[in-house]
Amino acid sequence: MSAPAPEVGTELPELVVRVTRADLVRYAGASGDFNPIHWSDRVATSVGLPGVIAHGMFTMGIAARAVTGWTGDPAALVEYHVRFGRPVVVPDDDEGAEVTVRGKVGALLDDGRVRLDLTVTSAGEKVLSLARAVVRLA
């Protein structure tokens, strides 16, 4: 028996992820993006940032994780786009920064596809703008 089809307005479970400097180091190694704004406060502040920031693609990945967690199948994600609104500032402490992803069904499309509208915040600020995903549900 399959789950009932979602309706417009159906909310995804909230996902809260804590991001630490250690996470940024691991992501830099995996992605090959060793830009010092992601690990050096000195460099980050010298270019006008408030401090070390998370990689934008890392933040996008966190939001995508909320989507694929909801679908239960990473292959269900067929379209995904965001705009980078504000950086996720990651302090050099044991707490790091919190990224919160909320989402809801924004539209039911043809061919079993569903548009999800995402809200991604950190420190009370929206960090990804116009974040949307399209998934194909079985």
Side-chain angles (χ1 to χ4, degrees), residues 5-8 10 105-110 112-115 137:
E7 298 176 4
V8 171
T10 299
V105 173
L108 302 177
L109 308 172
D110 61 352
R113 295 176 307 132
V114 174
R115 189 191 80 221
L137 302 177

Side-chain angles (χ1 to χ4, degrees), residues 63-86:
R65 195 167 105 198
V67 171
T68 60
W70 181 71
T71 65
D73 177 11
L77 180 58
V78 295
E79 291 179 35
Y80 182 47
H81 61 86
V82 305
R83 288 193 181 167
F84 300 112
R86 295 183 182 272

Side-chain angles (χ1 to χ4, degrees), residues 22-96:
D23 295 320
L24 300 184
V25 169
R26 285 189 285 277
Y27 185 82
S31 69
D33 181 352
F34 295 100
N35 187 321
I37 64 172
H38 302 303
W39 55 268
S40 169
D41 282 306
R42 180 182 51 80
V43 172
T45 57
S46 76
V47 298
L49 295 167
V52 165
I53 63 170
H55 303 73
M57 296 298 284
F58 182 61
T59 306
M60 277 183 73
I62 291 170
R65 195 167 105 198
V67 171
T68 60
W70 181 71
T71 65
D73 177 11
L77 180 58
V78 295
E79 291 179 35
Y80 182 47
H81 61 86
V82 305
R83 288 193 181 167
F84 300 112
R86 295 183 182 272
V88 175
V89 179
V90 182
D92 188 11
D93 59 20
D94 294 332
E95 299 298 313

Side-chain angles (χ1 to χ4, degrees), residues 91-104:
D92 188 11
D93 59 20
D94 294 332
E95 299 298 313
E98 229 177 51
V99 175
T100 302
V101 183
R102 293 179 183 89
K104 66 180 178 181

